[in-house]
Amino acid sequence: MRVHSVNKSSELQSRDLTSLEELESLRDKVDWLWIDLLKPDNQELSIIAELVGDQKVVRDIQTKKVLPRPKIVGNLSLLYIPQATFKDKLETFPIYVFTRDRILVTVRDKYSSETVENTLRTFEDCVGKVCKGKANSSFILSRIFHELSNENLNIVMSLRQTIDDIEHDALSNPASKEINRLVFEMKRQISAFERVLWAQRELMLSISEGVVPTIDASDEVAVSFSHPINNISRELSLLDSHNNALDSILRLQDLGMIHRVERNLTYLTVIALMVSILLILLEIDILSLLYAGT
């Protein structure tokens, strides 16, 4: 497990530890500790379970259990932070965070590596300046959410590009039945992404409002969370515009269907008229023959 610590001289140090004994020994020597577990194995999860004093938490992490709100595990708060990626489709995965004044534990997958690396880089630049003691955990959390909000914006723009491509196809081929399937699939993915954004926003509001008891809720913390909260609010508004664009594509498809029906009715009317004329002509010929025979 990768461990980042701040010593009494406000210097950031990083190292790898392999046992609970090493971890406990380090805790006694430093002011603050961040334990970062990337795809932890059973041994690492057992160490965390012993550290927080709850064995059930291992099963929750292994099954990627969704936690709708922060909960107390041992003497730490456990937070569930959903994160999303979008390439061909939207995918979500969790970041579990255990935190108290002098300790922070993150349990995550490889997809959050860039988020954590950027957060650590920012923390290293400012440690000893704006981060002091117990505020370290709050600062790390605010920076994680800041990075997530930036990644969310990239997803919003990727979704917009995909919608533009669907719209182009709809204008080029309004009779395509595949368009409707693509639109409804995109609506499902946007709905899933909205749930991720709402969960992130509500968790940040809980932290900044002091609802999470083990996290410092000073004015500085509230300010640090205000930026990513505002970012996510704007991203949710952009998703509303995405849904409106998809609704416009559906209306375009409906108009295309109406035009196809009208065109088919016109063809049927012309055919029916031609058949009627033909029958009339045949009837005239038959009457002419009858009159000629008499």
Side-chain angles (χ1 to χ4, degrees):
M1 66 184 76
R2 191 67 174 168
V3 179
H4 313 286
S5 60
V6 176
N7 59 23
K8 298 184 185 300
S9 301
S10 295
E11 296 173 336
L12 180 66
Q13 299 175 331
S14 300
R15 70 204 76 187
D16 292 316
L17 301 181
T18 58
S19 69
L20 182 61
E21 290 73 20
E22 290 178 316
L23 198 57
E24 293 290 2
S25 175
L26 180 61
R27 285 183 69 183
D28 295 334
K29 300 175 183 177
V30 298
D31 284 345
W32 178 83
L33 203 64
W34 176 9
I35 306 165
D36 182 41
L37 289 92
L38 172 61
K39 299 184 67 174
D41 55 27
N42 291 334
Q43 180 183 354
E44 290 173 326
L45 287 176
S46 296
I47 292 173
I48 296 303
E50 290 183 44
L51 181 67
V52 303
D54 189 335
Q55 294 295 325
K56 293 187 296 183
V57 74
V58 172
R59 184 173 63 254
D60 292 343
I61 293 174
Q62 289 174 329
T63 59
K64 296 184 178 181
K65 183 178 180 180
V66 175
L67 305 176
R69 61 184 59 84
K71 71 174 186 176
I72 299 298
V73 178
N75 62 348
L76 292 88
S77 291
L78 172 57
L79 314 178
Y80 170 89
I81 304 175
Q83 186 174 4
T85 61
F86 179 80
K87 290 182 180 179
D88 297 327
K89 64 177 182 178
L90 188 79
E91 294 185 74
T92 61
F93 44 89
I95 303 174
Y96 293 98
V97 178
F98 300 85
T99 183
R100 198 167 179 82
D101 294 343
R102 297 181 59 245
I103 188 169
L104 180 78
V105 182
T106 50
V107 184
R108 60 186 179 84
D109 209 329
K110 63 179 181 180
Y111 298 103
S112 57
S113 292
E114 185 176 355
T115 299
V116 170
E117 288 168 5
N118 290 341
T119 297
L120 183 61
R121 191 177 300 113
T122 302
F123 180 64
E124 187 174 13
D125 290 340
C126 75
V127 66
K129 300 176 184 178
V130 298
C131 306
K132 295 289 185 181
K134 66 179 182 179
N136 288 335
S137 296
S138 301
F139 180 82
I140 291 293
L141 280 171
S142 69
R143 293 309 304 178
I144 286 176
F145 278 110
H146 181 91
E147 295 296 332
L148 288 178
S149 69
N150 290 338
E151 294 172 15
N152 291 338
L153 182 58
N154 291 334
I155 295 175
V156 169
M157 301 310 294
S158 296
L159 290 169
R160 178 71 252 187
Q161 182 59 55
T162 302
I163 292 171
D164 288 343
D165 293 341
I166 295 174
E167 189 174 37
H168 179 269
D169 293 341
L171 290 171
S172 302
N173 187 13
S176 173
K177 296 180 180 179
E178 178 69 8
I179 298 298
N180 281 353
R181 188 192 68 79
L182 292 174
V183 168
F184 285 112
E185 176 61 30
M186 187 58 58
K187 276 183 166 290
R188 283 192 292 270
Q189 298 201 44
I190 289 176
S191 178
F193 188 40
E194 283 177 330
R195 291 194 292 272
V196 170
L197 295 184
W198 275 109
Q200 291 179 0
R201 184 175 180 273
E202 290 304 305
L203 182 53
M204 283 190 287
L205 287 172
S206 296
I207 294 172
S208 61
E209 292 170 359
V211 176
V212 184
T214 63
I215 299 179
D216 175 47
S218 64
D219 292 339
E220 291 80 5
V221 170
V223 170
S224 67
F225 278 96
S226 63
H227 181 66
I229 288 173
N230 291 335
N231 279 351
I232 288 181
S233 296
R234 286 192 292 270
E235 288 156 2
L236 285 167
S237 297
L238 288 173
L239 289 185
D240 285 338
S241 70
H242 287 9
N243 271 317
N244 291 335
L246 290 170
D247 290 337
S248 298
I249 295 174
L250 288 177
R251 285 194 292 272
L252 177 64
Q253 290 296 101
D254 290 340
L255 287 174
M257 183 177 295
I258 291 172
H259 290 157
R260 289 196 300 274
V261 171
E262 290 177 343
R263 187 170 60 250
N264 291 336
L265 287 174
T266 301
Y267 291 155
L268 290 174
T269 301
V270 171
I271 293 171
L273 181 60
M274 293 176 63
V275 170
S276 298
I277 293 173
L278 180 60
L279 290 175
I280 291 171
L281 292 175
L282 289 173
E283 184 178 355
I284 292 174
D285 288 342
I286 292 171
L287 291 174
S288 298
L289 291 173
L290 290 175
Y291 286 133
T294 57

